[in-house]
Amino acid sequence: MTRRYIPLKSLRAFEAAARHLSFTHAAIELNVTHSAVSQQVKLLEDQLHCPLFLRVPRGLMLTPEGEHLLPVLNESFDRIAELLDYFAGRKVQEKLKIGVVGTFATGFLLPRLAAFYQKFPHIELQISTNNNRVDVAAEGLDYAIRFGSGAWHGTAALYLCDSPLTPLCTPEIAAQLTQPADLLNFRLLRSYRRDEWTAWLEQAAGPQLPPTHPVMVFDSSVTMLEAAQAGIGIAIAPARMFSHLISSGRIQRPFSSEISLGSYWLTRLQSKVETSAMREFAQWLSAELVASAELRPSEGLLPNTEL
């Protein structure tokens, strides 16, 4: 069979620009000029008779055609690079690019990476953390660990675990909390989800949150708990992801009530073909979550605070 002409230079320029969503960054990676990348992408769009990028005020955005092409090129170039390494006599390692919401990364994944590498020395993990906003295609990720409902467009999602939210604070503040109404004596800390404290107070049969009550908003639960440790206020966050702070005594959980506004999911593009490394990582992560007896939501609960 005669294979049609494959414009490798144009495909390489598109793949780099699509990962970075920037012609400038792609040019730096490929050691060429900005105009050279732009020209190669234009040649590819002309050959395919469709646009691959939309030019928007904040930069570039992939079209549906570009979103379909990017993961195919990512996988193809990775496989070519691995085979070339094999021929060159270097030890072949399977690379796995994973984006992880910061809370899950620090609360569960990172403490277990040494055990992962011991079991899977042939897999090289490339991990980037985020605040739950991630573009899997643009970043060239194999997996993204997200918090939410599990329903993301064009995405396959594997359920990992629940992550109910509950108040967390310093021991000094916890000593002043005997009922949910006492929370209103302190500044409340939350994420970008507006309904967290309202939903928890309703669940705990507490008072309504006054519209003028002082609240601080964070884009990362990790940063929020740093503020809570500093005594700035009371955080509402997943206790199971901060068991290390609770067990150390730096943070306490004053009430048993909790609310669930989502779960953690291991996600990938539906168009992404699973590799053996991806399957091994998914199976290992699921097994670790099942076996993690230390991540019980009730851990760290203060005595006599059942509601």
Side-chain angles (χ1 to χ4, degrees):
M1 181 186 73
T2 302
R3 181 178 287 111
R4 63 173 293 182
Y5 169 70
I6 299 178
L8 290 176
K9 186 179 292 187
S10 295
L11 291 172
R12 186 70 183 92
F14 163 76
E15 190 268 346
R19 272 191 289 107
H20 295 291
L21 286 180
S22 166
F23 287 162
T24 300
H25 291 161
I28 294 172
E29 177 182 320
L30 300 176
N31 197 29
V32 297
T33 64
H34 178 285
S35 61
V37 173
S38 179
Q39 182 181 15
Q40 288 298 327
V41 170
K42 182 63 169 61
L43 289 172
L44 183 60
E45 290 177 325
D46 290 343
Q47 182 177 346
L48 299 178
H49 305 294
C50 66
L52 298 173
F53 291 105
L54 295 176
R55 278 68 174 176
V56 294
R58 57 189 174 88
L60 299 176
M61 184 171 70
L62 287 169
T63 64
E65 293 83 2
E67 289 180 348
H68 279 86
L69 181 58
L70 178 57
V72 174
L73 291 179
N74 278 333
E75 181 179 0
S76 299
F77 288 147
D78 284 346
R79 292 183 64 182
I80 291 171
E82 289 173 3
L83 188 58
L84 292 178
D85 283 346
Y86 173 77
F87 287 153
R90 293 190 288 269
K91 183 178 180 180
V92 178
Q93 282 196 313
E94 296 183 77
K95 294 181 180 180
L96 207 55
K97 297 181 67 175
I98 304 172
V100 190
V101 60
T103 306
F104 189 92
T106 58
F108 189 88
L109 183 59
L110 296 182
R112 291 166 173 78
L113 283 189
F116 175 84
Y117 285 126
Q118 187 173 6
K119 187 172 183 179
F120 302 99
H122 62 286
I123 298 178
E124 177 186 339
L125 295 181
Q126 298 178 2
I127 296 176
S128 59
T129 59
N130 58 67
N131 61 355
N132 211 41
R133 293 177 173 88
V134 61
D135 189 329
V136 179
E139 296 183 31
L141 300 175
D142 296 301
Y143 279 131
I145 297 176
R146 302 175 175 180
F147 178 84
S149 65
W152 290 277
H153 178 70
T155 297
L158 171 68
Y159 169 81
L160 294 178
C161 67
D162 289 329
S163 187
L165 309 180
T166 194
L168 299 173
C169 59
T170 62
E172 293 75 17
I173 292 178
Q176 304 175 59
L177 303 175
T178 59
Q179 57 184 342
D182 295 334
L183 292 166
L184 301 187
N185 296 325
F186 300 91
R187 180 179 287 103
L188 301 180
L189 318 179
R190 65 166 173 86
S191 76
Y192 56 86
R193 290 180 292 272
R194 293 178 176 271
D195 59 342
E196 290 176 341
W197 277 112
T198 300
W200 188 89
L201 287 166
E202 182 178 348
Q203 168 73 19
Q208 289 188 340
L209 182 65
T212 58
H213 189 83
V215 174
M216 287 186 68
V217 180
F218 296 81
D219 66 356
S220 164
S221 293
V222 176
T223 308
M224 187 199 312
L225 264 293
E226 289 294 325
Q229 289 183 81
I232 293 172
I234 302 171
I236 183 166
R240 66 188 303 168
M241 291 298 151
F242 293 99
S243 60
H244 59 295
L245 296 181
I246 295 173
S247 62
S248 72
R250 287 177 286 171
I251 285 293
Q252 290 185 354
R253 176 183 179 178
F255 300 108
S256 62
S257 287
E258 58 189 14
I259 55 168
S260 180
L261 299 179
S263 305
Y264 287 107
W265 301 81
L266 182 66
T267 70
R268 63 172 175 82
L269 293 176
Q270 290 178 337
S271 57
K272 174 71 176 180
V273 178
E274 279 191 293
T275 64
S276 59
M278 290 175 67
R279 286 190 293 271
E280 287 174 328
F281 177 80
Q283 292 168 2
W284 170 82
L285 184 59
S286 296
E288 285 292 312
L289 283 161
V290 170
S292 59
E294 74 275 14
L295 296 183
R296 291 190 296 269
S298 59
E299 183 176 358
L301 185 64
L302 293 179
N304 304 318
T305 54
E306 292 292 339
L307 300 178

